[in-house]
Amino acid sequence: MKRLIAVLLFGFLVSQAQAQDIHKTPFPVRPRVNVDLEISLPGGDYGDLFGVGFGGSGGLDIPITRALYATGSAGVMSFYRKNSSTRTYIPMKAGAKYYLSRMLYAQTEIGTSVGIQQGAGVTFIFAPGVGISYPITKRSSINGGLRFESWSREGGNINQLGIKVGYQF
């Protein structure tokens, strides 16, 4: 199921990128605020313990060039164990977003995540991904994205496929 969702989303994003003018951004270059809802599908050892993660984040995109933006975000992510307990983390990331076409972008972020339960620990985050920003007005858009996140920590890594849907203004 995870692979099917990833393949369908990737195919949609590639088709959108080919249909767009590569030299235009979705709207005028200016700082942008993002509010996102996120679903995480853990894999590997963590996937054996946890079924799914849900969370939200807020972020800021600051233009460097017409197509390149510096990004920063913070949020909360809760992973639900298969035995009905949860682990909650506060991820904080910074990185870059590059518009490959008018709506399609590639993004990479690094950061840290702090677990709020005892023993949850602190992780180093590396998160590359792709997304689409679909303008709905002159100053706002709906975003969708797919990314792979690797959270490295003592006691085992947390690798996951992240799916986000959000509003940008």
Side-chain angles (χ1 to χ4, degrees):
M1 183 66 174
K2 293 177 193 176
R3 289 187 182 129
L4 177 61
I5 291 170
V7 168
L8 291 174
L9 184 59
F10 183 74
F12 174 75
L13 293 174
V14 168
S15 69
Q16 286 295 317
Q18 292 172 347
Q20 302 301 318
D21 181 357
I22 197 161
H23 300 292
K24 294 182 182 176
T25 54
F27 34 80
V29 176
R30 63 176 175 71
R32 302 173 186 169
V33 175
N34 302 291
V35 179
D36 300 313
L37 295 175
E38 302 180 22
I39 297 173
S40 177
L41 305 170
D45 293 337
Y46 217 67
D48 294 339
L49 298 173
F50 294 86
V52 68
F54 293 102
S57 65
L60 181 63
D61 297 352
I62 300 171
I64 297 172
T65 69
R66 188 160 179 79
L68 180 64
Y69 287 74
T71 64
S73 65
V76 63
M77 177 63 70
S78 293
F79 292 97
Y80 294 86
R81 285 185 185 233
K82 293 180 179 174
N83 68 4
S84 74
S85 65
T86 63
R87 288 280 175 142
T88 301
Y89 294 88
I90 308 292
M92 298 162 281
K93 300 177 274 189
K97 179 186 288 185
Y98 184 78
Y99 280 87
L100 303 167
S101 71
R102 186 169 185 263
M103 291 189 286
L104 181 69
Y105 62 85
Q107 182 173 5
T108 299
E109 292 183 308
I110 61 170
T112 190
S113 180
V114 178
I116 64 171
Q117 287 87 8
Q118 184 174 352
V122 176
T123 66
F124 170 77
I125 300 172
F126 175 68
V130 296
I132 191 164
S133 181
Y134 187 81
I136 55 175
T137 70
K138 187 175 181 177
R139 297 189 59 87
S140 64
S141 65
I142 295 174
N143 284 332
L146 180 67
R147 69 181 178 281
F148 171 77
E149 284 199 18
S150 178
W151 293 14
S152 302
R153 67 187 185 102
E154 194 173 314
N157 295 342
I158 305 170
N159 295 321
Q160 56 195 307
L161 177 65
I163 301 167
K164 76 173 184 174
V165 176
Y167 181 71
Q168 184 179 64
F169 53 96

